[in-house]
Amino acid sequence: MADFLHMSGYAFYVWTSYALAVGALLLSVWRARRNLARARVAARRRVAMKGGQ
Amino acid sequence: MAWTWLHRFGSPPHFYRVAGKLIPWFAWPAAVLIAVGLVWGLVIAPPDALQSDAYRVIYVHVPNAWLSLMAYTVMAVAAGVGLIWRIKVGHAVAVAIAPVGAMFTAVALVTGMLWGEPTWGTWWVWDPRLVFELVLLFFFMGYSALRGAIEDPDRADRASALLAIVGVVNVPLVHYSVVIWRSVHQGSTVFRSGGPAMPASMLWPLLVAALGYTFFFGAILLLRARAEVLNRERSGSWLAQLAED
């Protein structure tokens, strides 16, 4: 296990690359879902305003 | 020619519904394939004879680089569809892609630096492949910056579409740069004449991860484009219905 984490001395390069790539994937999913949720709220608000006129 | 299918898919309510139905078909394969590909590359694939474990960066570097080119091409085509056929959804898709494309490009560049340092002995060289990939990042960022600078939405759509289309010449430059010029960057490993230059035990996890990233791009594109289509709709009667779905 320690050998695996050590990556024959390249631990910093390998683990940083993987952490960065996975972090970017998760961040983009989170942001895309947040965007859609916000767009839905804004759309509902526009609909409600039209109905009240 | 019958372009009716394009206009049908380009109708905002239709696109919004179809995109919503398609998302799980992209998201789940993406999650499974990326997890399998990355763990396989990290744990099961054998170490390289010359680079030992340093080469494992390839399993995140190549999928991100591949998707950066794929994302730009799709963005330019979508913007072109918006510009030529005046289909608004085309612009919405292009807008949805730009930030994700910039992210893939940035991760490709940084993981490339993290691979270059231990193997080439430097974080960065002014090499054609690296420079064109950096230009790709500027095109993604320039696309969003240009849109932000133009207030009128229709003018922003047209001007940014033109920029996206012009920038597409950069895509083959990135891909063929290692063939055309003498480069520090290694040549193509997978798509080259004579077949892949990697043993199957190292190649398979790379292909699985790259396929997973392709599905991931599809899922994020649809998710972001849905939000963009909804934001652009001011008065459509379908808005009330969609906002509830």
Side-chain angles (χ1 to χ4, degrees), chain B residues 90-154:
Chain B
H91 294 298
V93 168
V95 170
I97 291 174
V100 195
M103 180 202 83
F104 287 134
T105 313
V107 173
L109 284 167
V110 177
T111 54
M113 295 167 104
L114 284 160
W115 194 4
E117 217 284 323
T119 52
W120 301 343
T122 178
W123 298 99
W124 182 263
V125 279
W126 293 101
D127 175 271
R129 169 61 67 89
L130 281 68
V131 171
F132 288 125
E133 185 74 9
L134 186 63
V135 170
L136 192 70
L137 180 63
F138 293 154
F139 269 109
F140 277 125
M141 286 162 51
Y143 177 87
S144 300
L146 182 62
R147 296 193 62 87
I150 303 174
E151 221 164 294
D152 178 57
D154 289 332

Short mmCIF file of all heavy atoms in Angstrom, two decimals, chain B residues 90-154:
data_model
loop_
_atom_site.label_atom_id
_atom_site.label_comp_id
_atom_site.label_asym_id
_atom_site.label_seq_id
_atom_site.Cartn_x
_atom_site.Cartn_y
_atom_site.Cartn_z
N GLY B 90 -28.66 26.51 -31.31
CA GLY B 90 -27.25 26.36 -31.69
C GLY B 90 -26.37 27.27 -30.85
O GLY B 90 -25.36 26.84 -30.28
N HIS B 91 -26.77 28.54 -30.73
CA HIS B 91 -26.01 29.48 -29.91
C HIS B 91 -26.03 29.05 -28.43
O HIS B 91 -25.02 29.15 -27.74
CB HIS B 91 -26.58 30.89 -30.05
CG HIS B 91 -26.41 31.47 -31.42
ND1 HIS B 91 -25.18 31.69 -31.98
CD2 HIS B 91 -27.33 31.86 -32.34
CE1 HIS B 91 -25.34 32.20 -33.21
NE2 HIS B 91 -26.63 32.30 -33.45
N ALA B 92 -27.19 28.58 -27.99
CA ALA B 92 -27.31 28.16 -26.58
C ALA B 92 -26.34 27.01 -26.28
O ALA B 92 -25.69 26.98 -25.23
CB ALA B 92 -28.75 27.74 -26.26
N VAL B 93 -26.23 26.07 -27.22
CA VAL B 93 -25.31 24.93 -27.03
C VAL B 93 -23.87 25.44 -27.00
O VAL B 93 -23.06 25.03 -26.15
CB VAL B 93 -25.52 23.87 -28.13
CG1 VAL B 93 -24.40 22.85 -28.14
CG2 VAL B 93 -26.86 23.17 -27.95
N ALA B 94 -23.53 26.35 -27.90
CA ALA B 94 -22.16 26.88 -27.93
C ALA B 94 -21.83 27.59 -26.62
O ALA B 94 -20.74 27.38 -26.05
CB ALA B 94 -22.00 27.83 -29.11
N VAL B 95 -22.77 28.38 -26.12
CA VAL B 95 -22.56 29.08 -24.85
C VAL B 95 -22.35 28.08 -23.72
O VAL B 95 -21.50 28.27 -22.84
CB VAL B 95 -23.78 29.98 -24.53
CG1 VAL B 95 -23.70 30.53 -23.12
CG2 VAL B 95 -23.89 31.11 -25.54
N ALA B 96 -23.13 26.99 -23.77
CA ALA B 96 -23.04 25.97 -22.73
C ALA B 96 -21.68 25.28 -22.73
O ALA B 96 -21.17 24.88 -21.69
CB ALA B 96 -24.15 24.93 -22.92
N ILE B 97 -21.07 25.15 -23.90
CA ILE B 97 -19.81 24.40 -24.02
C ILE B 97 -18.60 25.21 -23.56
O ILE B 97 -17.68 24.65 -22.94
CB ILE B 97 -19.61 23.92 -25.48
CG1 ILE B 97 -20.65 22.85 -25.84
CG2 ILE B 97 -18.21 23.36 -25.68
CD1 ILE B 97 -20.62 22.44 -27.29
N ALA B 98 -18.58 26.52 -23.85
CA ALA B 98 -17.36 27.31 -23.65
C ALA B 98 -16.67 27.11 -22.28
O ALA B 98 -15.47 26.82 -22.25
CB ALA B 98 -17.63 28.78 -23.92
N PRO B 99 -17.40 27.23 -21.14
CA PRO B 99 -16.69 27.07 -19.86
C PRO B 99 -16.16 25.65 -19.63
O PRO B 99 -15.09 25.47 -19.05
CB PRO B 99 -17.75 27.42 -18.81
CG PRO B 99 -18.88 28.04 -19.54
CD PRO B 99 -18.82 27.55 -20.95
N VAL B 100 -16.93 24.65 -20.07
CA VAL B 100 -16.49 23.27 -19.89
C VAL B 100 -15.26 22.99 -20.76
O VAL B 100 -14.32 22.32 -20.35
CB VAL B 100 -17.60 22.26 -20.28
CG1 VAL B 100 -17.29 20.89 -19.76
CG2 VAL B 100 -18.94 22.73 -19.80
N GLY B 101 -15.29 23.52 -21.98
CA GLY B 101 -14.15 23.36 -22.88
C GLY B 101 -12.90 24.00 -22.31
O GLY B 101 -11.81 23.42 -22.37
N ALA B 102 -13.07 25.18 -21.72
CA ALA B 102 -11.93 25.86 -21.10
C ALA B 102 -11.38 25.01 -19.95
O ALA B 102 -10.16 24.91 -19.77
CB ALA B 102 -12.35 27.24 -20.60
N MET B 103 -12.30 24.37 -19.21
CA MET B 103 -11.86 23.52 -18.10
C MET B 103 -11.05 22.32 -18.59
O MET B 103 -9.95 22.05 -18.08
CB MET B 103 -13.08 23.05 -17.31
CG MET B 103 -12.72 22.16 -16.15
SD MET B 103 -14.10 21.13 -15.64
CE MET B 103 -13.98 19.78 -16.80
N PHE B 104 -11.56 21.61 -19.61
CA PHE B 104 -10.81 20.47 -20.16
C PHE B 104 -9.43 20.92 -20.64
O PHE B 104 -8.42 20.24 -20.40
CB PHE B 104 -11.56 19.85 -21.36
CG PHE B 104 -12.80 19.07 -21.02
CD1 PHE B 104 -13.97 19.25 -21.73
CD2 PHE B 104 -12.79 18.13 -19.99
CE1 PHE B 104 -15.11 18.52 -21.43
CE2 PHE B 104 -13.91 17.39 -19.69
CZ PHE B 104 -15.08 17.59 -20.41
N THR B 105 -9.39 22.07 -21.31
CA THR B 105 -8.12 22.56 -21.86
C THR B 105 -7.14 22.90 -20.73
O THR B 105 -5.96 22.53 -20.80
CB THR B 105 -8.38 23.81 -22.73
OG1 THR B 105 -9.46 23.55 -23.60
CG2 THR B 105 -7.14 24.16 -23.55
N ALA B 106 -7.63 23.58 -19.70
CA ALA B 106 -6.77 23.96 -18.58
C ALA B 106 -6.23 22.72 -17.88
O ALA B 106 -5.04 22.64 -17.55
CB ALA B 106 -7.54 24.85 -17.60
N VAL B 107 -7.10 21.71 -17.66
CA VAL B 107 -6.64 20.49 -16.99
C VAL B 107 -5.63 19.75 -17.87
O VAL B 107 -4.63 19.22 -17.37
CB VAL B 107 -7.84 19.58 -16.61
CG1 VAL B 107 -7.36 18.24 -16.07
CG2 VAL B 107 -8.73 20.27 -15.59
N ALA B 108 -5.87 19.74 -19.19
CA ALA B 108 -4.91 19.11 -20.10
C ALA B 108 -3.55 19.80 -20.01
O ALA B 108 -2.50 19.14 -19.95
CB ALA B 108 -5.43 19.15 -21.54
N LEU B 109 -3.56 21.11 -19.96
CA LEU B 109 -2.30 21.87 -19.89
C LEU B 109 -1.57 21.62 -18.56
O LEU B 109 -0.37 21.35 -18.55
CB LEU B 109 -2.57 23.37 -20.06
CG LEU B 109 -2.86 23.85 -21.49
CD1 LEU B 109 -3.43 25.26 -21.48
CD2 LEU B 109 -1.59 23.79 -22.34
N VAL B 110 -2.30 21.68 -17.45
CA VAL B 110 -1.65 21.55 -16.15
C VAL B 110 -1.18 20.12 -15.91
O VAL B 110 -0.07 19.89 -15.41
CB VAL B 110 -2.58 22.03 -15.00
CG1 VAL B 110 -1.92 21.82 -13.65
CG2 VAL B 110 -2.93 23.50 -15.19
N THR B 111 -1.99 19.12 -16.30
CA THR B 111 -1.52 17.74 -16.14
C THR B 111 -0.34 17.48 -17.07
O THR B 111 0.54 16.69 -16.76
CB THR B 111 -2.64 16.70 -16.41
OG1 THR B 111 -3.22 16.96 -17.69
CG2 THR B 111 -3.72 16.76 -15.35
N GLY B 112 -0.32 18.17 -18.22
CA GLY B 112 0.82 18.06 -19.12
C GLY B 112 2.08 18.60 -18.46
O GLY B 112 3.17 18.02 -18.60
N MET B 113 1.94 19.70 -17.73
CA MET B 113 3.09 20.26 -17.01
C MET B 113 3.56 19.29 -15.93
O MET B 113 4.76 19.09 -15.72
CB MET B 113 2.71 21.60 -16.36
CG MET B 113 2.39 22.69 -17.36
SD MET B 113 1.58 24.09 -16.57
CE MET B 113 2.94 25.21 -16.53
N LEU B 114 2.57 18.68 -15.24
CA LEU B 114 2.89 17.73 -14.18
C LEU B 114 3.53 16.45 -14.72
O LEU B 114 4.13 15.68 -14.00
CB LEU B 114 1.63 17.38 -13.39
CG LEU B 114 1.15 18.46 -12.41
CD1 LEU B 114 -0.31 18.27 -12.06
CD2 LEU B 114 2.00 18.44 -11.14
N TRP B 115 3.36 16.22 -15.99
CA TRP B 115 3.99 15.06 -16.64
C TRP B 115 5.34 15.50 -17.23
O TRP B 115 6.31 14.73 -17.25
CB TRP B 115 3.08 14.51 -17.72
CG TRP B 115 3.43 13.16 -18.22
CD1 TRP B 115 4.43 12.33 -17.78
CD2 TRP B 115 2.78 12.45 -19.28
NE1 TRP B 115 4.44 11.16 -18.49
CE2 TRP B 115 3.42 11.22 -19.41
CE3 TRP B 115 1.69 12.75 -20.12
CZ2 TRP B 115 3.02 10.28 -20.38
CZ3 TRP B 115 1.30 11.82 -21.06
CH2 TRP B 115 1.96 10.59 -21.18
N GLY B 116 5.40 16.73 -17.71
CA GLY B 116 6.61 17.23 -18.34
C GLY B 116 7.77 17.40 -17.37
O GLY B 116 8.92 17.10 -17.70
N GLU B 117 7.44 17.87 -16.18
CA GLU B 117 8.50 18.15 -15.20
C GLU B 117 9.36 16.91 -14.90
O GLU B 117 10.58 16.96 -15.03
CB GLU B 117 7.90 18.76 -13.94
CG GLU B 117 8.74 19.83 -13.29
CD GLU B 117 9.93 19.28 -12.53
OE1 GLU B 117 9.79 18.22 -11.89
OE2 GLU B 117 11.00 19.93 -12.55
N PRO B 118 8.73 15.76 -14.52
CA PRO B 118 9.58 14.59 -14.23
C PRO B 118 10.17 13.92 -15.47
O PRO B 118 11.21 13.25 -15.36
CB PRO B 118 8.63 13.63 -13.50
CG PRO B 118 7.27 14.03 -13.93
CD PRO B 118 7.32 15.51 -14.20
N THR B 119 9.54 14.07 -16.65
CA THR B 119 10.03 13.32 -17.82
C THR B 119 10.87 14.16 -18.77
O THR B 119 11.86 13.68 -19.32
CB THR B 119 8.86 12.69 -18.60
OG1 THR B 119 7.89 13.70 -18.88
CG2 THR B 119 8.20 11.59 -17.81
N TRP B 120 10.51 15.45 -18.97
CA TRP B 120 11.31 16.31 -19.84
C TRP B 120 12.26 17.18 -19.03
O TRP B 120 13.13 17.87 -19.58
CB TRP B 120 10.44 17.27 -20.67
CG TRP B 120 9.43 16.64 -21.57
CD1 TRP B 120 9.41 15.34 -21.98
CD2 TRP B 120 8.29 17.28 -22.17
NE1 TRP B 120 8.33 15.14 -22.81
CE2 TRP B 120 7.63 16.30 -22.94
CE3 TRP B 120 7.78 18.57 -22.15
CZ2 TRP B 120 6.48 16.59 -23.66
CZ3 TRP B 120 6.64 18.85 -22.87
CH2 TRP B 120 5.99 17.86 -23.62
N GLY B 121 12.01 17.25 -17.70
CA GLY B 121 12.83 18.11 -16.85
C GLY B 121 12.41 19.57 -16.87
O GLY B 121 13.14 20.43 -16.40
N THR B 122 11.21 19.85 -17.41
CA THR B 122 10.72 21.23 -17.40
C THR B 122 9.19 21.25 -17.37
O THR B 122 8.54 20.35 -17.89
CB THR B 122 11.23 22.02 -18.63
OG1 THR B 122 10.70 23.34 -18.60
CG2 THR B 122 10.81 21.35 -19.94
N TRP B 123 8.65 22.29 -16.72
CA TRP B 123 7.19 22.41 -16.64
C TRP B 123 6.61 22.84 -17.99
O TRP B 123 5.50 22.51 -18.33
CB TRP B 123 6.78 23.45 -15.59
CG TRP B 123 7.21 23.12 -14.21
CD1 TRP B 123 8.31 23.61 -13.55
CD2 TRP B 123 6.56 22.25 -13.28
NE1 TRP B 123 8.38 23.09 -12.29
CE2 TRP B 123 7.31 22.25 -12.08
CE3 TRP B 123 5.39 21.46 -13.33
CZ2 TRP B 123 6.96 21.51 -10.97
CZ3 TRP B 123 5.03 20.72 -12.22
CH2 TRP B 123 5.82 20.74 -11.05
N TRP B 124 7.38 23.64 -18.70
CA TRP B 124 6.83 24.23 -19.91
C TRP B 124 7.92 24.42 -20.96
O TRP B 124 9.05 24.79 -20.62
CB TRP B 124 6.21 25.60 -19.60
CG TRP B 124 5.59 26.24 -20.79
CD1 TRP B 124 6.15 27.18 -21.60
CD2 TRP B 124 4.28 25.99 -21.32
NE1 TRP B 124 5.28 27.52 -22.61
CE2 TRP B 124 4.12 26.81 -22.46
CE3 TRP B 124 3.23 25.13 -20.94
CZ2 TRP B 124 2.95 26.79 -23.23
CZ3 TRP B 124 2.07 25.13 -21.70
CH2 TRP B 124 1.94 25.96 -22.83
N VAL B 125 7.61 24.17 -22.22
CA VAL B 125 8.49 24.55 -23.33
C VAL B 125 7.62 25.21 -24.40
O VAL B 125 6.43 24.89 -24.51
CB VAL B 125 9.22 23.36 -23.97
CG1 VAL B 125 10.43 22.96 -23.17
CG2 VAL B 125 8.29 22.18 -24.18
N TRP B 126 8.21 26.11 -25.16
CA TRP B 126 7.44 26.77 -26.24
C TRP B 126 7.47 25.86 -27.46
O TRP B 126 8.13 26.13 -28.45
CB TRP B 126 7.98 28.17 -26.53
CG TRP B 126 7.72 29.05 -25.37
CD1 TRP B 126 8.60 29.42 -24.41
CD2 TRP B 126 6.46 29.66 -25.01
NE1 TRP B 126 7.98 30.21 -23.47
CE2 TRP B 126 6.67 30.37 -23.82
CE3 TRP B 126 5.18 29.66 -25.58
CZ2 TRP B 126 5.65 31.08 -23.18
CZ3 TRP B 126 4.17 30.37 -24.95
CH2 TRP B 126 4.40 31.07 -23.77
N ASP B 127 6.73 24.78 -27.33
CA ASP B 127 6.66 23.73 -28.34
C ASP B 127 5.32 23.87 -29.07
O ASP B 127 4.33 24.26 -28.45
CB ASP B 127 6.75 22.38 -27.60
CG ASP B 127 6.58 21.21 -28.52
OD1 ASP B 127 5.42 20.77 -28.72
OD2 ASP B 127 7.60 20.72 -29.02
N PRO B 128 5.26 23.59 -30.39
CA PRO B 128 4.01 23.79 -31.14
C PRO B 128 2.77 23.19 -30.48
O PRO B 128 1.76 23.87 -30.32
CB PRO B 128 4.29 23.11 -32.49
CG PRO B 128 5.76 23.16 -32.64
CD PRO B 128 6.35 23.12 -31.26
N ARG B 129 2.86 21.93 -30.06
CA ARG B 129 1.70 21.27 -29.46
C ARG B 129 1.20 22.04 -28.24
O ARG B 129 0.01 22.28 -28.08
CB ARG B 129 2.10 19.84 -29.11
CG ARG B 129 1.21 18.98 -28.27
CD ARG B 129 -0.16 18.66 -28.74
NE ARG B 129 -0.46 17.85 -29.88
CZ ARG B 129 -0.61 16.53 -29.92
NH1 ARG B 129 -0.37 15.81 -28.87
NH2 ARG B 129 -1.00 15.93 -30.99
N LEU B 130 2.13 22.44 -27.38
CA LEU B 130 1.74 23.14 -26.15
C LEU B 130 1.18 24.52 -26.45
O LEU B 130 0.20 24.96 -25.84
CB LEU B 130 2.95 23.26 -25.20
CG LEU B 130 3.32 22.01 -24.39
CD1 LEU B 130 3.84 20.91 -25.28
CD2 LEU B 130 4.35 22.34 -23.32
N VAL B 131 1.81 25.21 -27.41
CA VAL B 131 1.38 26.57 -27.73
C VAL B 131 -0.02 26.57 -28.36
O VAL B 131 -0.87 27.37 -27.97
CB VAL B 131 2.39 27.27 -28.67
CG1 VAL B 131 1.84 28.59 -29.17
CG2 VAL B 131 3.72 27.47 -27.96
N PHE B 132 -0.28 25.63 -29.29
CA PHE B 132 -1.61 25.59 -29.91
C PHE B 132 -2.68 25.21 -28.89
O PHE B 132 -3.82 25.68 -28.97
CB PHE B 132 -1.63 24.63 -31.11
CG PHE B 132 -0.88 25.16 -32.30
CD1 PHE B 132 0.12 24.43 -32.89
CD2 PHE B 132 -1.19 26.41 -32.82
CE1 PHE B 132 0.81 24.93 -33.99
CE2 PHE B 132 -0.51 26.92 -33.91
CZ PHE B 132 0.50 26.18 -34.50
N GLU B 133 -2.33 24.35 -27.93
CA GLU B 133 -3.30 24.00 -26.88
C GLU B 133 -3.60 25.23 -26.01
O GLU B 133 -4.74 25.45 -25.60
CB GLU B 133 -2.79 22.83 -26.04
CG GLU B 133 -3.76 22.30 -24.99
CD GLU B 133 -4.93 21.49 -25.54
OE1 GLU B 133 -4.92 21.17 -26.76
OE2 GLU B 133 -5.86 21.19 -24.78
N LEU B 134 -2.56 26.02 -25.77
CA LEU B 134 -2.75 27.27 -25.00
C LEU B 134 -3.63 28.25 -25.78
O LEU B 134 -4.51 28.90 -25.21
CB LEU B 134 -1.39 27.90 -24.69
CG LEU B 134 -1.39 29.13 -23.77
CD1 LEU B 134 -1.92 28.78 -22.39
CD2 LEU B 134 0.02 29.72 -23.66
N VAL B 135 -3.42 28.32 -27.10
CA VAL B 135 -4.26 29.17 -27.96
C VAL B 135 -5.72 28.70 -27.89
O VAL B 135 -6.65 29.51 -27.87
CB VAL B 135 -3.74 29.16 -29.42
CG1 VAL B 135 -4.73 29.82 -30.37
CG2 VAL B 135 -2.37 29.85 -29.50
N LEU B 136 -5.91 27.38 -27.81
CA LEU B 136 -7.26 26.82 -27.68
C LEU B 136 -7.94 27.35 -26.42
O LEU B 136 -9.11 27.75 -26.45
CB LEU B 136 -7.18 25.29 -27.64
CG LEU B 136 -8.50 24.53 -27.79
CD1 LEU B 136 -9.06 24.64 -29.20
CD2 LEU B 136 -8.32 23.06 -27.43
N LEU B 137 -7.19 27.41 -25.33
CA LEU B 137 -7.72 27.95 -24.07
C LEU B 137 -8.14 29.41 -24.28
O LEU B 137 -9.20 29.83 -23.81
CB LEU B 137 -6.68 27.83 -22.96
CG LEU B 137 -7.09 28.36 -21.59
CD1 LEU B 137 -8.27 27.58 -21.02
CD2 LEU B 137 -5.93 28.33 -20.61
N PHE B 138 -7.30 30.18 -25.00
CA PHE B 138 -7.62 31.59 -25.25
C PHE B 138 -8.88 31.73 -26.10
O PHE B 138 -9.65 32.66 -25.91
CB PHE B 138 -6.44 32.31 -25.91
CG PHE B 138 -5.24 32.43 -25.01
CD1 PHE B 138 -3.96 32.55 -25.54
CD2 PHE B 138 -5.39 32.42 -23.63
CE1 PHE B 138 -2.85 32.66 -24.71
CE2 PHE B 138 -4.28 32.52 -22.79
CZ PHE B 138 -3.01 32.64 -23.33
N PHE B 139 -9.09 30.82 -27.05
CA PHE B 139 -10.30 30.88 -27.87
C PHE B 139 -11.55 30.61 -27.02
O PHE B 139 -12.56 31.30 -27.17
CB PHE B 139 -10.23 29.91 -29.05
CG PHE B 139 -9.65 30.54 -30.29
CD1 PHE B 139 -8.39 30.18 -30.74
CD2 PHE B 139 -10.37 31.50 -31.00
CE1 PHE B 139 -7.85 30.77 -31.88
CE2 PHE B 139 -9.84 32.08 -32.14
CZ PHE B 139 -8.57 31.71 -32.59
N PHE B 140 -11.48 29.61 -26.14
CA PHE B 140 -12.63 29.34 -25.25
C PHE B 140 -12.92 30.56 -24.38
O PHE B 140 -14.06 30.98 -24.22
CB PHE B 140 -12.33 28.13 -24.35
CG PHE B 140 -12.60 26.80 -24.99
CD1 PHE B 140 -11.60 25.83 -25.06
CD2 PHE B 140 -13.85 26.48 -25.51
CE1 PHE B 140 -11.83 24.59 -25.62
CE2 PHE B 140 -14.10 25.23 -26.07
CZ PHE B 140 -13.08 24.30 -26.13
N MET B 141 -11.86 31.12 -23.78
CA MET B 141 -12.03 32.26 -22.88
C MET B 141 -12.44 33.50 -23.66
O MET B 141 -13.28 34.29 -23.20
CB MET B 141 -10.74 32.50 -22.09
CG MET B 141 -10.55 31.44 -21.01
SD MET B 141 -8.87 31.29 -20.35
CE MET B 141 -8.47 32.93 -19.94
N GLY B 142 -11.87 33.67 -24.86
CA GLY B 142 -12.22 34.81 -25.70
C GLY B 142 -13.68 34.78 -26.12
O GLY B 142 -14.35 35.82 -26.17
N TYR B 143 -14.18 33.57 -26.39
CA TYR B 143 -15.59 33.41 -26.77
C TYR B 143 -16.49 33.96 -25.66
O TYR B 143 -17.38 34.77 -25.92
CB TYR B 143 -15.89 31.93 -27.03
CG TYR B 143 -17.33 31.64 -27.35
CD1 TYR B 143 -17.81 31.72 -28.65
CD2 TYR B 143 -18.24 31.30 -26.34
CE1 TYR B 143 -19.14 31.48 -28.94
CE2 TYR B 143 -19.56 31.05 -26.62
CZ TYR B 143 -20.01 31.14 -27.93
OH TYR B 143 -21.33 30.90 -28.20
N SER B 144 -16.23 33.54 -24.42
CA SER B 144 -17.06 34.00 -23.29
C SER B 144 -16.85 35.49 -23.03
O SER B 144 -17.81 36.21 -22.73
CB SER B 144 -16.73 33.19 -22.03
OG SER B 144 -16.98 31.82 -22.27
N ALA B 145 -15.61 35.95 -23.14
CA ALA B 145 -15.30 37.37 -22.88
C ALA B 145 -16.01 38.26 -23.90
O ALA B 145 -16.59 39.29 -23.54
CB ALA B 145 -13.80 37.60 -22.91
N LEU B 146 -15.99 37.84 -25.16
CA LEU B 146 -16.63 38.62 -26.22
C LEU B 146 -18.13 38.73 -25.97
O LEU B 146 -18.73 39.80 -26.11
CB LEU B 146 -16.36 37.97 -27.59
CG LEU B 146 -16.92 38.70 -28.81
CD1 LEU B 146 -16.31 40.09 -28.94
CD2 LEU B 146 -16.66 37.91 -30.08
N ARG B 147 -18.74 37.62 -25.57
CA ARG B 147 -20.18 37.65 -25.28
C ARG B 147 -20.48 38.60 -24.14
O ARG B 147 -21.45 39.33 -24.17
CB ARG B 147 -20.67 36.25 -24.88
CG ARG B 147 -20.57 35.22 -25.97
CD ARG B 147 -21.38 34.00 -25.58
NE ARG B 147 -22.78 34.37 -25.44
CZ ARG B 147 -23.63 34.37 -26.45
NH1 ARG B 147 -23.24 34.00 -27.64
NH2 ARG B 147 -24.88 34.73 -26.28
N GLY B 148 -19.60 38.56 -23.12
CA GLY B 148 -19.81 39.42 -21.96
C GLY B 148 -19.68 40.89 -22.30
O GLY B 148 -20.25 41.75 -21.62
N ALA B 149 -18.94 41.19 -23.38
CA ALA B 149 -18.68 42.59 -23.73
C ALA B 149 -19.77 43.19 -24.60
O ALA B 149 -19.82 44.39 -24.80
CB ALA B 149 -17.33 42.69 -24.44
N ILE B 150 -20.66 42.35 -25.17
CA ILE B 150 -21.71 42.85 -26.06
C ILE B 150 -23.07 42.73 -25.37
O ILE B 150 -23.46 41.64 -24.97
CB ILE B 150 -21.73 42.07 -27.40
CG1 ILE B 150 -20.36 42.17 -28.08
CG2 ILE B 150 -22.82 42.60 -28.32
CD1 ILE B 150 -20.23 41.33 -29.32
N GLU B 151 -23.75 43.85 -25.27
CA GLU B 151 -24.98 43.85 -24.50
C GLU B 151 -26.16 43.21 -25.24
O GLU B 151 -26.90 42.43 -24.67
CB GLU B 151 -25.33 45.29 -24.11
CG GLU B 151 -25.83 45.39 -22.69
CD GLU B 151 -25.81 46.83 -22.21
OE1 GLU B 151 -24.71 47.41 -22.09
OE2 GLU B 151 -26.90 47.36 -21.99
N ASP B 152 -26.29 43.55 -26.53
CA ASP B 152 -27.41 43.02 -27.31
C ASP B 152 -27.23 41.52 -27.54
O ASP B 152 -26.23 41.11 -28.13
CB ASP B 152 -27.49 43.77 -28.65
CG ASP B 152 -28.60 43.23 -29.52
OD1 ASP B 152 -29.75 43.24 -29.06
OD2 ASP B 152 -28.30 42.76 -30.64
N PRO B 153 -28.18 40.69 -27.08
CA PRO B 153 -27.99 39.23 -27.15
C PRO B 153 -27.80 38.70 -28.58
O PRO B 153 -26.99 37.80 -28.81
CB PRO B 153 -29.26 38.65 -26.54
CG PRO B 153 -30.01 39.77 -25.94
CD PRO B 153 -29.46 41.05 -26.46
N ASP B 154 -28.55 39.26 -29.55
CA ASP B 154 -28.43 38.77 -30.93
C ASP B 154 -27.07 39.10 -31.52
O ASP B 154 -26.47 38.28 -32.23
CB ASP B 154 -29.54 39.37 -31.81
CG ASP B 154 -30.90 38.77 -31.47
OD1 ASP B 154 -30.93 37.62 -30.99
OD2 ASP B 154 -31.92 39.47 -31.65
#
